[in-house]
Amino acid sequence: MIYLKGIRLNELPEETSYLADLPVVKNLIQSGGIEFSKPVTFIAGENGSGKSTLLEAISIALGFNPEGGSRDFLFSTKDSHSELYRLITTIRAAHPKDGFFLRAESFYNTASYLDETSSLKRYGNVSFHKQSHGEGFLSLIENRFLGNGIYLMDEPESALSPSRQMSLLVDIDNLVKSNSQLIIATHSPILMSYPDSEVIYLTPDRIEKVNYKETENYKITKQFINNPEQMLKYLLED
């Protein structure tokens, strides 16, 4: 199911704004926008490429809390989000019944908000502060992501072991089969392997759709696993 068909840049940032110097914004200006054609889209790229900034802007433009949560999450610990969401227009194909923005870096804040508001019934009835980071991530997804919705996740692999990332692949598949759309910013070659997904790759020069095996994430991981001794020798020799 596709709820969000794409985004368009409808306004240029001011020349004095820091946004004008971000590669992802410059490339959005060049491309005009991004289209989402699959139920699962991964946004990949090197650190600093703008993955989280882009996903954050999309999430806020869709009405989600900048620090994570559903549309009814009304908390803020620090306004650190960019103004990019003001410059984009979302192109919607349908209205989802459910949705959530899961953000790794502010998951602690989300967990604290749920504890303070006693809203744990929909989340497995166990405080996320009483679970490991990874257990909390999967518990939230498996208990709160109800299907028929749009779900955005920012680097979920940061809390997950490789085997738990494979568990997340199963959860993603279940959500797709329940008429959901997912947009995920990630470094994980494991997650990007999900069948019939699309990978939007951010570079300093462009925004392009690629096969996941063409990403640096996949190539470097494969190179290291295939010959760690050679890679370590290259990295650590004086």
Side-chain angles (χ1 to χ4, degrees), residues 210-224:
V210 302
N211 183 283
Y212 84 99
K213 291 185 178 181
E214 296 173 0
T215 65
E216 286 298 307
N217 313 64
Y218 177 87
K219 291 177 182 177
I220 290 175
T221 302
K222 181 180 179 182
Q223 191 175 11
F224 188 91

Side-chain angles (χ1 to χ4, degrees), residues 114 117-128 143-144:
L114 288 169
T117 56
S118 301
S119 301
L120 292 172
K121 187 174 182 180
R122 298 176 67 192
Y123 297 83
N125 265 333
V126 179
S127 169
F128 293 114
N143 287 287
R144 171 59 186 79

Side-chain angles (χ1 to χ4, degrees), residues 149-214:
I150 184 166
Y151 304 100
L152 304 103
M153 292 187 263
D154 186 20
E155 299 186 3
E157 76 279 2
S158 64
L160 302 176
S161 68
S163 64
R164 293 298 190 182
Q165 290 179 47
M166 294 179 191
S167 297
L168 180 54
L169 282 175
V170 176
D171 293 332
I172 290 171
D173 191 54
N174 288 334
L175 287 166
V176 170
K177 291 172 180 174
S178 299
N179 300 316
S180 298
Q181 180 180 7
L182 298 97
I183 303 174
I184 303 169
T186 185
H187 292 288
S188 170
I190 293 175
L191 296 184
M192 284 189 280
S193 71
Y194 182 77
D196 199 33
S197 61
E198 62 185 355
V199 178
I200 295 174
Y201 198 62
L202 308 184
T203 76
D205 304 315
R206 61 191 178 277
I207 298 171
E208 60 181 346
K209 292 187 179 181
V210 302
N211 183 283
Y212 84 99
K213 291 185 178 181
E214 296 173 0

